[in-house]
Amino acid sequence: MVNIVEQPEGHEGQGFFATSMDKAIGLARANSLWPLPFATSCCGIEFMATMSANYDLARFGSERLSFTPRQCDLLMVMGTISKKLGPVLKQVYDQMAEPKWVLSVGACACTGGIFDTYSVLQGIDKIIPVDVYVPGCPPRPEQIIEGLMKIQELAKNESLRRRNSDEYQKMLESYNIETTK
Amino acid sequence: MDSAMMLEKLVLILVILAITLVVALYLTFGERKIAAFFQDRLGPNRVGPFGLFQPFADGGKLIFKEEIIPKNAEKWLFILGPGVAMIVATITSAVIPWGTSIELFGRTIALQVADINIGVLYIVGIVSVGVYGIMIGGWASNNKYSLYGAIRASAQMISYELSMGLSLIAVIMMSGTLSLNEIVSQQPSWHWNILYQPLGFLLFFVSALAECNRAPFDMAECETELIGGYHTEYSSMKLGFYLFSEYINMFISCAVISCIYLGGYNFPGMNYITDPTWLGLTQVAVMFAKILFLVFVFMWIRWTLPRFRYDQLMRLGWKSMIPLALVNLVITGLVIGIMKF
Amino acid sequence: MENSTLQDITSSIESKFPDCTISTDNYGMTNIVCSRESIIDLVGHLKDDLGFGFLTDICGAHYPLIENQEFQVVYHLHNLYKNIRLRLKVNLATVDLAIPTMVALFPAANWMERETFDFYGIQFEGHPDLRRILNMDDMDYHPLRKEYALEDETRSDKKDSFFGR
Amino acid sequence: MSELKINQNGQLTSLDTVDGEIATLNLGPTHPATHGIFQNILKVDGERIISAEPTVGYIHRAFEKLAERRPYQQVTPITDRLNYCSSPINNMGWHMTVEKLIGAEIPKRVDYMRVIVMELARIADHLVCNSVIGVDTGALTGFTYVFQEREKIYDLFEEICGARLTTNVGRIGGFDRDFSPVFLQKLDKFLKEFHIIFDDFTNLLERNRIFMDRVIGAGPITGERALSYGFTGPNLRAAGVDYDVRVINPYCSYQDFEFDVPIGKDGDTYDRFLVRQEEIRQSLRIIHQAKDNIPAGNYHGDVPSFFLPPKEEVYRSMEALIYHFKITMGETPIPAGEVYHSVEGANGELGYYLVSDGGRTPYRLHFRRPCFIYYQAYPEMIKGSVLSDAILTMSSMNVIAGELDA
């Protein structure tokens, strides 16, 4: 019987030991997701509840809110996004530094919710790419936390080079977002 | 200066630098935990035991984040800003006496990098350079909010440095020296300067809060008004440097306060320890205990008090602190005169 | 006149503004229908002489089936001294959708009139800043008119048959 | 350059003399202090605000058009999202409007139950507003304290209707179920424990020197101006006008309860803060009275064409089945007519102007949103003050974007 020894991880592909590096940085990113709360309406109040003592988003290392897009990793879109606000949201997404994730909280942000009206954008995924959708009108804080944990999963398992891949660039281009390349 | 001495100083510098960085790293974590404690929360607890590796997660993330330099920013100054802030923050520690000395490999090693005879002046000078980091960064960002932060920070620094300096002069008059080491060694056991200069201590403490841009004087950052203040446009490790330098500044300020007013490494009953190495190490521990206590007070204030308005801050600086510091100076002078008489 | 009762108020209005029709509905609210020429004088009279110092609300309404009175502007006034509420209505025709503004009397009317303009396209003559307020500036219709659909007409992702439309 | 006149609050009194470079500062739409989405374009001279130009409508959701397409009971969820910090008040206000239109007789017990729920909502709303003033001055800690209390109020709402924030509580005609014993227990516990954390919060801010320096004299408005700008609610009362819909037009048996209407003097941020603090205490007083004197009786009025029959009935009796079908399909007879009904929302007079043509949906429903009306005074209130004051003024006015933009 011949056993074929598998090559050690990281021996080929993106570079020596790149995968372990990927993992370490993925872990770091996952546990230090600084959110930008783009809170427009009801869900924003539930987000405040999530931030405060009973639910405490800080446990995941996510309590450092910053309202400047440059410093955030996670864009949390909470509440109705109207057509008037759409360009603003897109600009905020544009201004964020890579890697960035988007969490769409609440029915309104995901699909427009009960507001199927002339003034409301029917889901923010029309203008920016979304990573995780949290349903609910508004979602309970537990749900928001679960959404965050799903983002953590994504961040953990993301390759360091994903953001440079053609696939990613194409995806951004499909949203008419200027790419850095 | 022989080569062994050079080596010794180099090692000491590296050790102090490393300790400063690690302490600053953990101060960010401590701040979050203490904030959580004051707010009935848990604080970060997912990374490692009790969340102890949280700072490394933050650091790792920041290093691998995209650098953005805004199109209209002044590129070189934009990069220079955080660098200045970081360098200035780290070099202040050179004149802090961490202990008297320890004996290692048959040599007596002084626990101070440089015992320059104008240590106090050096600190005051370096701290004033510190504001350049904020000013340059805020100005170069080409963002109005950053500019507001920078302007507020520089005006605040100028006015609070005056009262800081004036309250320092009273101490210098008492001790008759500008060397930090000398000032510390003049406060043996429990004869700390805070007992002779309570008002001076208070003024210096408040000024230190203002110099570090800590609440209630965090005008430069002021996240509910100016979004991020001077570092609004910064991302990645440049932001990391700014945040980091803030914590190093806090650490060093507390070290200076404990040197000047709380007797530095002195503690009651230290004459009973005879072994010089043990004495040195205990002194370092005592020094750190004092510093960490002061840091805790800094954070306590941060999470309890609201912040001042810009003009109120200036009014406090110019109309209350400076006159009080002058009064303190006059009283000190009179007392010294009477004692000599 | 601040102590006047509803009776005094109605008689005062009737004598001064004969073209107004005053009625009381089943819910105890006094409705006054007047013309757009007299509305400003009427509100001025109510405010200055009869103590109606609080403008509760201005809104529009669209009645496409009533000819020549397709639009209505409804004002709610409140006399805080005597706690009397009044509802004033002005009917307007589609061909001539204009009514004088009330901003000079009540600063509060500013945004309410802008909202009414935004929703119904009613022109408030003399308004200092008559722009759209809630909708986008480049919107080309007045959405609360009955002929326009609630939903966005350009949307493509939702199939009407799923929603019973 | 002639001399600037600055009063003792550090505010510029004469603006004609400003001479210098004027910058434009864009405050919003996603500025942290806006708490919701609206924009102010400020003209500033240094930190001094020379003029402000607010832009609203960033979350305009077309409530009024939406309400024209929905049967009466389905309008309730829309009202939830008006002032989402205190949705039960909006729900109840809408229910009462429809009850007024159809002339329904409502039992006293329902009134008392409604009062309890509405006052709880008022407490929740004022807690958010006051703690957010704290956050905007930089004191975040009080905010997390009061949110623990808010969670308890959420718990109570969950016990009544199953939802936390957008409650959709009650039905036209009353409630869908009676208060459960667990609810009453939890209410007792809440009333007993509320003051502990509330006192903490009060101690943290109310007499804090820095806080007082910050908020006294920030964004003042006189009673007269406030009235002409259509202010209502705590903001008007802070300016010294004792107008409260609960007192002047008592709905829902508010005349049975004894409570004070707190008023301020200067109409500045501190007065608004204090008025809200005092209103929280008065609300507690009302809840105590309502809880102790709650009369026996049915938990809903006799409005079979609006109040869904219990599910067991639907399975057994023909009449209930028919009503159930008609209500669910929105085919209930409604008299034609128009009503205006207003309740004292957490922000002020929340009015519903309802025109019915007898059809299944409202023909026209207009919400008098207090925020929308008083926010237009904002430029006048911050003119001549500094940037920090402008931000505090905004948060102390408690502008809720959902209500503002409808």
Side-chain angles (χ1 to χ4, degrees):
Chain A
M1 229 169 103
V2 182
N3 273 332
I4 297 172
V5 180
E6 278 182 28
Q7 282 181 326
E9 235 181 325
H11 188 68
E12 31 168 38
Q14 297 167 347
F16 198 60
F17 283 139
T19 47
S20 301
M21 184 73 178
D22 273 9
K23 270 183 201 154
I25 297 304
L27 263 176
R29 281 175 177 171
N31 286 301
S32 166
L33 288 167
W34 293 353
L36 191 159
F38 199 92
T40 60
S41 50
C42 334
C43 301
I45 305 291
E46 282 298 60
F47 175 71
M48 282 158 115
T50 317
M51 286 303 298
S52 64
N54 285 35
Y55 296 96
D56 194 16
L57 210 54
R59 289 175 293 152
F60 305 94
S62 304
E63 86 270 44
R64 191 191 181 277
L65 299 186
S66 59
F67 287 86
T68 147
R70 306 272 188 228
Q71 305 171 0
C72 301
D73 313 289
L74 174 61
L75 177 63
M76 296 178 87
V77 185
M78 294 166 284
T80 318
I81 304 297
S82 69
K83 288 178 180 161
K84 198 172 177 177
L85 191 58
V88 178
L89 177 66
K90 190 165 177 177
Q91 193 178 1
V92 167
Y93 180 79
D94 250 357
Q95 288 173 339
M96 286 173 71
E98 294 277 10
K100 51 193 172 187
W101 290 271
V102 179
L103 179 64
S104 158
V105 177
C108 288
C110 297
T111 65
I114 62 172
F115 301 109
D116 185 6
T117 60
Y118 58 85
S119 63
V120 175
L121 194 70
Q122 300 298 304
I124 57 164
D125 46 9
K126 290 229 179 309
I127 49 170
I128 54 171
V130 177
D131 290 281
V132 172
Y133 299 85
V134 179
C137 189
R140 298 178 59 94
E142 292 94 329
Q143 280 172 281
I144 299 181
I145 288 177
E146 203 199 344
L148 185 92
M149 289 168 78
K150 291 267 184 253
I151 295 270
Q152 284 190 315
E153 285 302 313
L154 285 179
K156 242 177 238 174
N157 298 322
E158 189 181 298
S159 136
L160 272 183
R161 293 169 191 238
R162 183 186 149 235
R163 307 268 163 180
N164 299 326
S165 66
D166 285 341
E167 202 187 353
Y168 187 71
Q169 302 295 333
K170 254 182 218 148
M171 193 269 294
L172 285 186
E173 268 159 28
S174 72
Y175 284 101
N176 282 327
I177 293 170
E178 244 181 88
T179 52
T180 42
K181 261 188 180 173
Chain B
M1 200 184 277
D2 56 294
S3 57
M5 172 90 170
M6 290 283 278
L7 193 68
E8 173 197 310
K9 287 291 179 203
L10 205 62
V11 170
L12 192 65
I13 288 172
L14 285 179
V15 166
I16 287 176
L17 191 64
I19 289 177
T20 316
L21 291 182
V22 168
V23 167
L25 206 58
Y26 270 93
L27 285 187
T28 63
F29 176 68
E31 169 110 60
R32 290 162 89 163
K33 274 290 192 192
I34 286 171
F37 168 68
F38 280 115
Q39 298 176 349
D40 279 0
R41 297 188 282 121
L42 285 172
N45 63 355
R46 292 297 152 116
V47 202
F50 310 108
L52 274 175
F53 299 138
Q54 183 66 42
F56 295 103
D58 288 331
K61 181 205 76 176
L62 280 176
I63 288 171
F64 278 83
K65 204 153 167 62
E66 185 191 0
E67 296 260 1
I68 294 180
I69 297 177
K71 202 164 68 185
N72 295 325
E74 195 73 38
K75 194 176 168 201
W76 289 110
L77 290 179
F78 190 78
I79 298 170
L80 187 66
V84 168
M86 191 71 182
I87 291 169
V88 167
T90 43
I91 58 176
T92 328
S93 58
V95 292
I96 309 271
W98 302 96
T100 45
S101 58
I102 52 172
E103 284 196 21
L104 218 58
F105 313 118
R107 288 180 60 90
T108 309
I109 300 172
L111 287 175
Q112 187 182 18
V113 176
D115 182 15
I116 46 178
N117 55 10
I118 50 160
V120 176
L121 275 188
Y122 173 81
I123 285 177
V124 173
I126 290 294
V127 164
S128 351
V129 178
V131 72
Y132 281 95
I134 292 175
M135 252 168 75
I136 291 172
W139 183 79
S141 301
N142 197 9
N143 177 325
K144 280 171 193 152
Y145 287 107
S146 303
L147 190 63
Y148 270 111
I151 293 171
R152 285 179 177 192
S154 42
Q156 173 185 332
M157 289 276 183
I158 290 167
S159 31
Y160 280 80
E161 235 153 56
L162 274 176
S163 54
M164 192 177 192
L166 285 175
S167 50
L168 265 181
I169 290 177
V171 176
I172 294 165
M173 280 162 66
M174 266 179 57
S175 56
T177 175
L178 282 172
S179 152
L180 262 182
N181 199 14
E182 196 62 19
I183 290 177
V184 172
S185 57
Q186 282 179 10
Q187 319 172 46
S189 189
W190 52 267
H191 296 282
W192 299 348
N193 275 344
I194 185 173
L195 299 178
Y196 309 108
Q197 291 279 346
L199 183 62
F201 169 74
L202 201 68
L203 292 171
F204 192 88
F205 186 80
V206 174
S207 309
L209 275 177
E211 291 283 309
C212 295
N213 279 321
R214 296 287 299 175
F217 303 100
D218 55 344
M219 284 288 106
E221 213 176 316
C222 200
E223 68 276 341
T224 50
E225 285 163 31
L226 301 183
I227 305 172
Y230 60 94
H231 61 61
T232 303
E233 291 284 348
Y234 281 90
S235 67
S236 186
M237 209 51 206
K238 293 202 202 75
L239 168 72
F241 273 10
Y242 268 131
L243 300 183
F244 221 57
S245 64
E246 185 189 327
Y247 285 95
I248 299 176
N249 274 335
M250 191 161 75
F251 177 64
I252 299 296
S253 302
C254 291
V256 171
I257 294 175
S258 58
C259 278
I260 293 179
Y261 289 100
L262 297 180
Y265 49 73
N266 291 304
F267 57 96
M270 70 178 192
N271 296 337
Y272 295 108
I273 303 173
T274 45
D275 182 71
T277 303
W278 276 114
L279 181 63
L281 290 178
T282 325
Q283 283 171 339
V284 171
V286 167
M287 178 81 177
F288 265 92
K290 284 175 187 171
I291 294 173
L292 291 182
F293 172 73
L294 283 173
V295 167
F296 175 73
V297 176
F298 267 48
M299 287 175 182
W300 188 356
I301 292 171
R302 162 83 178 83
W303 295 106
T304 313
L305 291 181
R307 78 169 69 81
F308 285 101
R309 201 170 65 200
Y310 178 57
D311 54 324
Q312 289 165 352
L313 178 110
M314 297 311 256
R315 204 181 309 151
L316 179 76
W318 290 97
K319 289 192 180 166
S320 317
M321 304 264 296
I322 293 176
L324 273 178
L326 285 171
V327 167
N328 186 41
L329 202 62
V330 170
I331 291 174
T332 314
L334 281 177
V335 170
I336 291 174
I338 290 166
M339 298 274 273
K340 279 205 177 142
F341 186 69
Chain C
M1 284 291 271
E2 273 157 15
N3 293 322
S4 48
T5 61
L6 190 57
Q7 204 64 51
D8 300 336
I9 289 164
T10 48
S11 56
S12 163
I13 293 169
E14 266 167 351
S15 64
K16 280 206 167 172
F17 300 94
D19 61 334
C20 292
T21 46
I22 302 177
S23 61
T24 307
D25 65 16
N26 299 338
Y27 307 100
M29 180 76 109
T30 307
N31 292 290
I32 303 173
V33 181
C34 72
S35 66
R36 70 173 173 207
E37 284 76 25
S38 58
I39 179 74
I40 293 301
D41 293 339
L42 174 61
V43 173
H45 175 60
L46 283 169
K47 185 190 176 196
D48 298 334
D49 307 329
L50 300 172
F52 283 83
F54 190 76
L55 175 68
T56 305
D57 202 10
I58 298 177
C59 68
H62 187 201
Y63 300 95
L65 299 180
I66 308 175
E67 216 164 306
N68 279 329
Q69 296 185 0
E70 286 92 348
F71 288 90
Q72 197 171 55
V73 181
V74 185
Y75 301 85
H76 284 91
L77 290 177
H78 198 171
N79 180 339
L80 293 177
Y81 301 102
K82 299 295 291 175
N83 189 20
I84 300 168
R85 287 180 193 271
L86 280 186
R87 186 183 295 139
L88 313 181
K89 292 175 179 174
V90 180
N91 292 318
L92 300 169
T94 318
V95 286
D96 186 16
L97 266 185
I99 185 169
T101 176
M102 208 170 279
V103 177
L105 287 168
F106 295 101
N110 190 332
W111 281 16
M112 302 184 198
E113 287 178 353
R114 274 177 74 183
E115 189 195 23
T116 311
F117 164 74
D118 191 353
F119 284 167
Y120 292 99
I122 296 167
Q123 298 288 339
F124 288 86
E125 284 166 351
H127 191 284
D129 184 25
L130 196 64
R131 286 179 293 130
R132 283 183 184 275
I133 184 162
L134 294 177
N135 287 302
M136 281 178 292
D137 287 333
D138 54 357
M139 196 168 186
D140 54 357
Y141 64 102
H142 296 284
L144 246 71
R145 292 186 182 186
K146 290 284 179 189
E147 64 259 37
Y148 295 112
L150 167 67
E151 298 84 15
D152 181 12
E153 320 239 339
T154 58
R155 86 213 143 84
S156 56
D157 57 331
K158 285 178 184 165
K159 292 206 172 83
D160 276 353
S161 55
F162 292 162
F163 295 90
R165 291 182 194 123
Chain D
M1 183 171 148
S2 50
E3 200 186 337
L4 299 181
K5 286 179 191 140
I6 294 174
N7 67 11
Q8 62 202 130
N9 289 329
Q11 284 180 329
L12 212 60
T13 48
S14 152
L15 283 169
D16 317 323
T17 54
V18 171
D19 181 17
E21 237 175 278
I22 292 170
T24 312
L25 191 68
N26 190 2
L27 195 75
T30 58
H31 189 276
T34 52
H35 310 296
I37 300 285
F38 29 90
Q39 185 186 22
N40 286 289
I41 297 169
L42 307 176
K43 292 253 183 286
V44 285
D45 176 37
E47 296 247 344
R48 224 31 96 180
I49 291 164
I50 294 173
S51 70
E53 168 77 48
T55 310
V56 299
Y58 281 106
I59 62 163
H60 174 51
R61 297 182 275 192
F63 283 175
E64 292 176 10
K65 187 87 175 172
L66 204 55
E68 288 174 12
R69 301 298 161 90
R70 291 176 158 233
Y72 284 79
Q73 74 271 21
Q74 285 187 19
V75 175
T76 323
I78 306 177
T79 62
D80 269 335
R81 284 144 185 90
L82 273 174
N83 180 350
Y84 35 74
C85 287
S86 54
S87 348
I89 302 182
N90 312 342
N91 299 154
M92 305 279 173
W94 166 245
H95 295 151
M96 282 182 263
T97 312
V98 181
E99 283 156 15
K100 193 169 172 184
L101 179 74
I102 61 178
E105 287 273 320
I106 301 301
K108 203 88 173 165
R109 183 179 175 82
V110 174
D111 281 356
Y112 276 58
M113 286 164 77
R114 280 181 175 168
V115 165
I116 292 176
V117 178
M118 283 197 280
E119 293 305 318
L120 281 174
R122 196 182 313 282
I123 292 174
D125 191 291
H126 286 351
L127 281 181
V128 172
C129 177
N130 273 358
S131 63
V132 159
I133 298 176
V135 171
D136 282 350
T137 54
L140 196 69
T141 304
F143 168 80
T144 52
Y145 282 2
V146 301
F147 255 76
Q148 296 180 33
E149 285 310 302
R150 235 183 105 87
E151 285 295 329
K152 287 182 193 156
I153 297 177
Y154 282 155
D155 267 4
L156 291 171
F157 288 163
E158 275 189 306
E159 208 56 60
I160 303 168
C161 64
R164 280 161 58 90
L165 185 69
T166 45
T167 47
N168 196 5
V169 57
R171 297 283 177 269
I172 293 165
F175 281 80
D176 59 331
R177 68 192 101 157
D178 209 345
F179 283 168
S180 66
V182 181
F183 169 78
L184 292 173
Q185 250 173 19
K186 281 190 175 174
L187 183 66
D188 277 338
K189 191 155 171 280
F190 170 76
L191 290 175
K192 226 175 271 166
E193 289 173 358
F194 178 75
H195 72 94
I196 302 173
I197 286 184
F198 185 61
D199 287 350
D200 268 358
F201 174 70
T202 312
N203 290 339
L204 202 59
L205 291 181
E206 208 169 291
R207 303 293 299 170
N208 182 321
R209 191 69 238 172
I210 301 178
F211 182 75
M212 285 168 76
D213 279 350
R214 282 297 303 276
V215 291
I216 290 175
I221 189 161
T222 61
E224 209 177 323
R225 282 309 277 173
L227 268 181
S228 69
Y229 266 118
F231 273 49
T232 42
N235 293 344
L236 179 66
R237 291 194 280 274
V241 183
D242 59 340
Y243 172 57
D244 189 327
V245 185
R246 289 177 292 177
V247 177
I248 197 164
N249 285 328
Y251 53 92
C252 221
S253 306
Y254 264 110
Q255 68 277 10
D256 297 1
F257 304 106
E258 198 182 302
F259 62 97
D260 301 331
V261 178
I263 58 168
K265 210 167 99 243
D266 305 325
D268 59 4
T269 301
Y270 192 51
D271 278 356
R272 285 190 281 271
F273 177 82
L274 288 183
V275 164
R276 287 207 169 85
Q277 291 283 90
E278 187 54 35
E279 276 190 19
I280 290 174
R281 295 188 192 106
Q282 297 301 330
S283 291
L284 284 176
R285 226 171 118 191
I286 298 174
I287 296 173
H288 272 293
Q289 294 172 36
K291 183 180 67 82
D292 293 343
N293 304 323
I294 191 162
N298 209 346
Y299 59 88
H300 62 85
D302 186 24
V303 275
S305 50
F306 278 97
F307 191 84
L308 272 178
K311 202 73 182 177
E312 311 87 69
E313 287 285 304
V314 177
Y315 290 131
R316 278 195 225 110
S317 97
M318 192 65 203
E319 200 190 12
L321 181 63
I322 292 170
Y323 274 125
H324 187 274
F325 180 78
K326 282 175 82 173
I327 293 167
T328 319
M329 301 307 289
E331 301 296 343
T332 44
I334 294 266
E338 47 193 297
V339 287
Y340 176 82
H341 183 73
S342 62
V343 294
E344 177 73 20
N347 278 338
E349 179 175 347
L350 178 67
Y352 301 81
Y353 172 57
L354 169 64
V355 182
S356 157
D357 61 346
R360 66 192 287 260
T361 60
Y363 185 80
R364 169 89 174 99
L365 175 59
H366 178 73
F367 300 106
R368 183 207 187 271
R369 291 118 43 207
C371 276
F372 177 73
I373 292 164
Y374 66 61
Y375 185 56
Q376 51 187 316
Y378 182 64
E380 188 181 302
M381 288 164 80
I382 62 165
K383 199 171 180 182
S385 66
V386 292
L387 187 62
S388 315
D389 280 357
I391 277 151
L392 284 186
T393 310
M394 185 166 0
S395 55
S396 71
M397 281 166 88
N398 197 15
V399 186
I400 306 273
E403 188 175 81
L404 181 78
D405 294 340

